[in-house]
């Protein structure tokens, strides 16, 4: 599943990711455009039992979330 | 200085606790050196003072160009440049954000303080802050329901770097007006209060330095009082809350050492003990903060790192402050009249303003929701 959170205000990136996790997704690709959203999504995903790897993409970040 | 390790530390739980504690120590020190009691730092009050100094309202006791406010914005700009996350962006429902800023300021001036000051008031023994913080939590909880049901003001877009520098430029302009204190006409601005809270201030350089320091560290840690409550309620995340608790404990300890703790409800400095309106004022402010995505302090910080939408929220707050005093919406403090306590609070206009503000914010939250199309 792919989520694009670019341009969204805090805490919408976290809410969108959380909603996707709550639908039972085991693997997610989340596009974020700022470090605040990146850290917030990472912290929430870790707390839900996901590993998070970050891949810079120009000025954006791609977060790969995988259920442990 | 290596950027990555510093950023990692500041983003950690220990980092935010340290930052909260630093702000909690600095704010009471500003009081010790001249800022009004229980008002070491207050974004709402200080913006109101600036608006008054410019003559946009004429309440003579609250007029001063508070250097802390431009300090926050410029500190945030410096941190954003140094750590390479200055991003100029704008375009997410600016007019709605202006209205939210306006409503937030009206609510804050009915309570008499922003969330930062609510914590500092509590740390100084002002128990009315409990009502304010309860109201803030209720407002945030209402806003959370809208967020859960798809509330969004839409996406911002990247813009020119120079567009992101407008608020820092305005901040520099304010500092010039403070330093040179020009008199634009015989009875005109710049106004500086000769009595009341507006006449009480720490030395300019100290206030500016604290503003810059807080701006820098708040930019790095995303420090946000409203966000701390929202994250606990919405995603059970205690990260920001741990910083807020550290701020309150550190401020209380500093106040104890400085002899600045006076526990009670009545006749607290620049505060009123009208419980209902302390609560309702902050319900309105809290709801407006959630819908706009940050408390007043956070919005200032965002406006310094290039967020034009946060800047519009700040301008809405400034306008709200002018209206709040010109239209007698802001609360009056408790006062001792002939030895008897006269409980302060809002005028009937202030009460109506809070009610209308709540209706406006509820309409914004209710009508600006969309199905989440990004999940695919």
């Amino acid at each position: 599943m792919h989520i694009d959170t670019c341009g969204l205000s805090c805490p919408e990136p976290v809410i969108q990711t959380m909603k996707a996790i709550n639908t039972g997704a085991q693997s997610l690709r989340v596009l974020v455009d700022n470090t605040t959203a990146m850290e917030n999504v990472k912290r929430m995903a870790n707390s839900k039992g996901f590993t998070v790897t970050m891949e810079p993409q120009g000025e954006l970040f791609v977060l790969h979330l995988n259920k442990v | 200085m290596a950027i990555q390790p510093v950023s990692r530390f500041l983003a950690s739980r220990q980092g935010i606790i340290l930052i909260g504690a630093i702000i909690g120590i600095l704010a009471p020190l500003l009081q010790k050196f001249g800022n009004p009691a229980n008002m070491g730092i207050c974004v709402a009050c200080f913006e109101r003072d600036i608006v008054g100094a410019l003559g946009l309202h004429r309440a003579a006791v609250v007029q001063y160009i508070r250097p802390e406010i431009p300090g926050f914005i410029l500190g945030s700009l410096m941190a954003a440049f140094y750590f390479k996350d200055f991003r100029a962006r704008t375009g997410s429902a600016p007019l709605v954000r202006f209205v939210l800023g306006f409503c937030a300021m009206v609510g804050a001036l009915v309570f008499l303080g922003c969330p930062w000051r609510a914590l500092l008031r509590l740390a100084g023994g002002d128990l009315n802050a409990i009502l304010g913080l309860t109201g803030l939590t209720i407002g945030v909880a209402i806003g959370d329901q809208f967020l859960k049901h798809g509330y969004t003001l839409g996406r911002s877009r990247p813009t020119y770097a120079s567009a992101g520098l407008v608020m820092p430029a305005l901040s520099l302009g304010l500092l010039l007006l403070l330093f040179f204190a020009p008199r634009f006409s015989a009875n005109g601005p710049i106004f500086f209060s000769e009595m009341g809270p507006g006449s009480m201030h720490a030395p300019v350089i100290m206030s500016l330095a604290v503003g810059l320091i807080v701006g820098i560290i708040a930019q790095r840690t995303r420090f946000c009082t409203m966000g701390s409550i929202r994250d606990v309620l919405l995603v059970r995340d205690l990260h920001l809350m741990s910083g807020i608790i550290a701020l309150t404990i550190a401020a209380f300890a500093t106040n104890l050492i400085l002899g600045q703790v006076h526990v009670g409800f009545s006749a607290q400095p620049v505060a009123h003990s009208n419980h209902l309106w302390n609560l309702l004022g902050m319900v309105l402010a809290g709801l407006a903060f959630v819908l706009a995505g940050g408390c007043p302090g956070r919005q200032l910080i965002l406006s310094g790192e290039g967020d034009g939408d946060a800047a519009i929220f700040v301008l809405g707050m400034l306008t709200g402050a002018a209206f709040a005093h010109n239209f007698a919406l802001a609360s009056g403090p408790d006062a001792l009249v002939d030895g008897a306590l006269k409980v302060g609070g809002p005028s009937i206009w202030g009460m109506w303003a809070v009610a209308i503000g709540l209706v406006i914010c509820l309409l914004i939250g209710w009508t600006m929701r969309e199905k989440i199309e990004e999940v695919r």
Side-chain angles (χ1 to χ4, degrees), chain A residues 6-7 9 12 19 35 43, chain B residues 97 148 152 155-156 222:
Chain A
C6 294
S9 307
E12 292 170 43
K19 282 188 171 171
T35 45
R43 209 167 45 240
Chain B
R97 291 178 188 274
K148 274 189 191 168
T152 177
R155 294 172 192 269
S156 63
R222 339 291 179 201

Side-chain angles (χ1 to χ4, degrees), chain B residues 54-67:
Chain B
L54 300 178
L56 301 176
H57 73 66
R58 305 300 280 267
V61 291
V62 283
Q63 296 175 316
Y64 176 57
I65 297 181
R66 298 269 176 196

Side-chain angles (χ1 to χ4, degrees), chain A residues 2-8 13-14 17 29-42 54-63 65, chain B residues 87:
Chain A
H2 174 74
I3 304 171
D4 176 4
T5 70
C6 294
L8 291 176
V14 174
T17 310
R29 187 170 171 274
V30 185
L31 190 64
V32 298
D33 65 352
N34 66 86
T35 45
T36 309
M38 181 189 68
E39 284 158 9
N40 290 345
V41 169
K42 189 166 178 274
M54 193 266 286
E55 171 196 342
Q57 194 177 84
E59 294 196 335
L60 309 177
F61 307 96
V62 183
L63 298 176
L65 278 57
Chain B
R87 292 183 315 111

Side-chain angles (χ1 to χ4, degrees), chain B residues 53-367:
Chain B
L54 300 178
L56 301 176
H57 73 66
R58 305 300 280 267
V61 291
V62 283
Q63 296 175 316
Y64 176 57
I65 297 181
R66 298 269 176 196
E68 289 89 347
I69 299 292
F72 295 153
I73 295 173
L74 294 170
S76 166
L77 175 79
M78 289 157 61
F81 267 118
Y82 185 80
F83 289 91
K84 301 187 194 313
D85 58 4
F86 178 85
R87 292 183 315 111
R89 69 267 193 199
T90 189
S92 168
L95 185 56
V96 176
R97 291 178 188 274
F98 182 90
V99 171
L100 289 172
F102 189 108
C103 291
M105 183 59 105
V106 169
L109 289 179
V110 164
F111 165 67
L112 293 178
C114 72
W116 287 9
R117 180 167 191 240
L119 299 170
L120 294 172
R121 280 173 59 172
L122 185 63
D126 178 351
L127 301 179
N128 298 298
I130 295 171
L131 278 301
L133 290 167
T134 305
L136 180 70
T137 307
I138 294 170
V140 173
I142 297 170
D144 280 353
Q145 292 309 309
F146 291 124
L147 281 169
K148 274 189 191 168
H149 291 89
Y151 168 80
T152 177
L153 288 180
R155 294 172 192 269
S156 63
R157 294 272 179 270
T159 183
Y160 310 104
S162 53
L165 291 170
V166 171
M167 280 302 271
L170 290 175
S171 303
L172 281 177
L174 276 179
L175 289 178
L176 289 177
L177 290 176
L178 172 64
F179 290 135
F180 292 104
R183 199 70 199 249
F184 287 88
S185 67
N187 297 311
I190 302 295
F191 297 112
F192 292 101
S193 295
E194 290 171 1
M195 52 185 289
S199 67
M200 303 162 75
H201 54 85
V204 170
I205 294 301
M206 178 185 286
S207 291
L208 180 59
V210 169
L212 288 170
I213 293 169
V214 173
I216 291 168
I217 58 185
Q219 196 277 338
R220 293 319 302 156
T221 52
R222 339 291 179 201
F223 204 80
C224 180
T225 43
M226 180 283 293
S228 71
I229 300 171
R230 180 199 60 207
D231 287 353
V232 170
L233 296 178
L234 203 60
V235 289
R236 308 278 174 245
D237 180 0
L238 288 168
H239 179 77
L240 286 173
M241 182 57 80
S242 49
I244 299 303
I245 293 170
L247 183 156
T248 312
I249 293 172
F252 179 66
T254 312
N255 278 330
L256 271 183
I257 294 166
L258 299 175
Q260 296 179 158
V261 177
H262 307 283
V263 180
F265 280 101
S266 301
Q268 290 284 343
V270 205
H272 65 79
S273 51
N274 186 329
H275 301 319
L276 177 65
W277 292 97
N278 275 327
L279 183 105
L280 288 177
M282 280 310 248
V283 171
L284 171 59
L287 177 55
F289 298 150
V290 181
L291 296 179
C295 73
R298 178 77 185 135
Q299 302 279 356
L300 282 176
I301 302 300
L302 286 169
S303 76
E305 58 172 63
D307 187 338
D309 296 321
I312 296 287
F313 181 92
V314 173
L315 297 182
M317 284 195 80
L318 294 170
T319 311
F323 273 78
H325 282 279
N326 287 339
F327 289 72
L329 313 179
S331 286
D334 283 358
L336 286 171
V337 180
D338 299 329
L341 176 73
K342 182 173 176 290
V343 173
S347 65
I348 188 76
W349 304 112
M351 296 174 188
W352 273 108
V354 169
I356 293 168
L358 280 170
V359 171
I360 291 171
C361 288
L362 290 171
L363 282 172
I364 289 173
W366 182 255
T367 58

